[in-house]
Amino acid sequence: ITNPLPQPSYIPSHLNLPFPQPHTYIKTPTYSMPVSSYTKLREARARQRNDVLNSLSRQVVNSCTSIQLIPGRDDCAWANPGTIDSLDYLITHHNDMKMKKKKRRTQSNNIYLQHKDTFCYDSIKDRHPVTITKLIDQTFKLGSRAAELEQDTKAVTAILSRLKNRLQTDKELELLEGEQDDIEMWNNAVKDLKSGANTWFTAPWLFIECYMYRSVHQAFQQTASLNFPQYDYFGDEKKRGLEDSLSNMSHIASLLLHPSPTQPPDRLLAEFIKLCLWGNRADLSILKHFGLELSDVTQGPGGDSEAVTLSNHLERVVEYLMKIEGGRVDIILDNSGYELFGDLCLAEVLLRTTKLTSIRLHMKCIPWFRSDVTEADVEQLITSFKDSDDDSLKQLGTLWGTRF
């Protein structure tokens, strides 16, 4: 800090204001720290190079004439190749940039497995082999308990073992066999995969997820006694999930059957929509993968659910549903057990609080993703409620038995 400067002559003396310290108005240069990250330097260099090339391309378009710069584009300017030696390179670069952008747009619709630190890669590497191994073990035990099933269980375990091996060794996806209506569709989809992207670890992730469960279904369908719907190979697991959730279902059933008289219908509807949202966490295909038990996820998110909701249009949805005169709402069912219970509760609340005339439920036609709902799962839930010792569950089971 230096000595203050004398008061300038153009300031009247009667003001008698001290002049500020020089450090408050004298410029002090500051410098940002240089970027030393290798990745950021490479990105910056690539951006600068593209900017230069794009600027040169625009310069050619704006200043030269005689030939068309981009074939097929009548609205483009013209360039004279005799005036710029690098014209061919610039044209090629411009078209390459367009092709790269188009390629990025087309590939962004699919998720691939190149990155090994992702949930997708982890699913194929760990979750699916575990799922197939459990089915092999379960099927083997089934054959050891029932001699009449021994031949079929041996056939299934052999097919599943081969399927697991092909998955873990990244073999090409095989065409499906059988006479089901969807075989041709599946095989056409497998054939459409490009060479180099048609193995278990190179094909699009979601396609692999679905293909695995469809292949498991094929293994059981080739038998005489273990085919679906005669036998649901995920049925025991779904039944245990339902039984483990009954205590939490009892409390919610009571709230549904005996809502508070002071609670407006739209608020009741909003609460049961939230129940369906958080019921999705009861997915048996991923619970064990994250070290969770069903009891950990059947009581909502815990704390303030709004704080962990990324986007929320609940009020608009409720307002829209309350205004509908007649009509139908379709619900796409996902997981059985606790989430199915939440979906059926929502359907019941919709019929009680709105002017809708019907609710249509959509379920899977084959066992899917371990815990997805089939028609038999809906029937099993209603039957278990009817046989329950809990009055609320028994009342709901009787009511829902008449709804279908």
Side-chain angles (χ1 to χ4, degrees):
I1 299 177
T2 59
N3 295 325
L5 298 176
Q7 189 165 310
S9 58
Y10 53 81
I11 297 179
S13 58
H14 64 271
L15 292 177
N16 195 25
L17 296 174
F19 205 65
Q21 295 284 349
H23 76 276
T24 63
Y25 58 87
I26 294 177
K27 181 178 72 173
T28 301
T30 59
Y31 303 95
S32 59
M33 294 296 293
V35 177
S36 58
S37 169
Y38 175 77
T39 302
K40 292 187 179 298
L41 289 173
R42 288 292 301 271
E43 290 176 350
R45 182 178 178 183
R47 284 196 299 270
Q48 292 172 358
R49 179 175 180 274
N50 287 336
D51 289 343
V52 170
L53 292 173
N54 287 332
S55 296
L56 287 173
S57 297
R58 288 193 296 270
Q59 176 65 21
V60 171
V61 171
N62 294 330
S63 61
C64 303
T65 59
S66 93
I67 67 167
Q68 192 174 15
L69 179 61
I70 304 176
R73 289 286 302 276
D74 295 332
D75 58 337
C76 284
W78 298 73
N80 183 354
T83 59
I84 300 180
D85 295 335
S86 59
L87 178 61
D88 290 340
Y89 170 74
L90 294 176
I91 295 175
T92 303
H93 165 75
H94 183 87
N95 289 332
D96 286 347
M97 291 288 289
K98 289 179 63 180
M99 290 299 294
K100 288 179 182 178
K101 290 180 179 178
K102 182 178 180 181
K103 185 177 181 181
R104 283 198 297 269
R105 285 195 298 269
T106 56
Q107 289 189 349
S108 63
N109 295 328
N110 292 319
I111 300 176
Y112 292 83
L113 304 173
Q114 289 90 341
H115 301 290
K116 297 184 178 182
D117 57 344
T118 61
F119 173 77
C120 301
Y121 182 86
D122 215 19
S123 295
I124 306 301
K125 177 178 175 292
D126 297 324
R127 285 177 55 224
H128 293 341
V130 168
T131 297
I132 298 175
T133 301
K134 287 183 176 180
L135 286 174
I136 293 173
D137 183 58
Q138 169 187 301
T139 307
F140 176 79
K141 291 179 180 178
L142 181 64
S144 64
R145 293 194 302 265
E148 68 276 10
L149 300 177
E150 184 177 0
Q151 184 175 354
D152 282 345
T153 55
K154 285 183 177 180
V156 170
T157 54
I159 296 173
L160 293 180
S161 298
R162 182 176 182 274
L163 178 68
K164 177 184 173 183
N165 176 263
R166 293 187 64 83
L167 185 159
Q168 292 181 311
T169 54
D170 195 23
K171 294 294 193 297
E172 288 188 3
L173 304 183
E174 295 182 309
L175 299 180
L176 299 179
E177 300 176 356
E179 300 179 355
Q180 288 80 21
D181 295 337
D182 63 341
I183 290 292
E184 183 179 359
M185 177 193 68
W186 273 104
N187 289 341
N188 288 337
V190 173
K191 293 175 184 177
D192 287 342
L193 296 174
K194 296 181 179 179
S195 177
N198 60 347
T199 69
W200 284 92
F201 282 86
T202 59
W205 168 65
L206 182 57
F207 183 84
I208 290 296
E209 288 264 321
C210 298
Y211 176 85
M212 194 278 286
Y213 284 99
R214 184 59 182 84
S215 298
V216 167
H217 179 67
Q218 174 180 275
F220 286 91
Q221 289 302 103
Q222 293 178 356
T223 67
S225 57
L226 299 178
N227 51 44
F228 182 81
Q230 180 180 347
Y231 175 68
D232 184 347
Y233 36 91
F234 293 131
D236 291 343
E237 189 174 17
K238 290 188 284 187
K239 184 178 180 180
R240 288 194 298 271
L242 173 61
E243 293 171 349
D244 292 343
S245 306
L246 288 177
S247 59
N248 290 326
M249 293 178 182
S250 173
H251 174 67
I252 296 169
S254 178
L255 294 177
L256 171 60
L257 295 171
H258 311 288
S260 171
T262 61
Q263 187 176 34
D266 58 338
R267 291 302 86 204
L268 181 66
L269 177 57
E271 289 302 315
F272 276 88
I273 292 178
K274 290 180 183 178
L275 173 69
C276 287
L277 170 65
W278 295 110
N280 183 250
R281 304 200 310 166
D283 187 334
L284 298 180
S285 68
I286 62 174
L287 277 180
K288 300 297 182 181
H289 179 73
F290 289 109
L292 297 173
E293 297 295 335
L294 195 60
S295 58
D296 297 326
V297 299
T298 54
Q299 301 183 35
D304 183 11
S305 62
E306 298 295 330
V308 290
T309 303
L310 296 179
S311 181
N312 191 350
H313 302 275
L314 178 61
E315 298 304 323
R316 291 165 57 186
V317 171
V318 171
E319 181 183 1
Y320 175 78
L321 290 172
M322 297 299 293
K323 291 192 299 184
I324 296 178
E325 297 283 346
R328 183 189 78 211
V329 163
D330 289 51
I331 298 179
I332 312 298
L333 300 177
D334 189 6
N335 296 296
S336 60
Y338 183 78
E339 186 176 1
L340 171 61
F341 168 70
D343 292 333
L344 295 179
C345 286
L346 176 60
E348 183 65 32
V349 171
L350 284 169
L351 292 175
R352 292 185 178 212
T353 60
T354 69
K355 297 179 181 180
L356 295 168
T357 56
S358 64
I359 309 293
R360 174 176 290 179
L361 305 177
H362 299 260
M363 55 204 74
K364 303 300 190 300
C365 59
I366 65 173
W368 197 252
F369 281 68
R370 289 177 66 171
S371 58
D372 279 20
V373 177
T374 64
E375 184 176 351
D377 297 323
V378 178
E379 296 173 354
Q380 182 183 62
L381 183 142
I382 294 175
T383 300
S384 66
F385 279 17
K386 289 180 179 179
D387 298 337
S388 173
D389 295 331
D390 183 270
D391 291 338
S392 297
L393 294 181
K394 184 183 291 288
Q395 186 176 344
L396 266 187
T398 303
L399 174 61
W400 287 345
T402 65
R403 291 291 198 191
F404 289 91

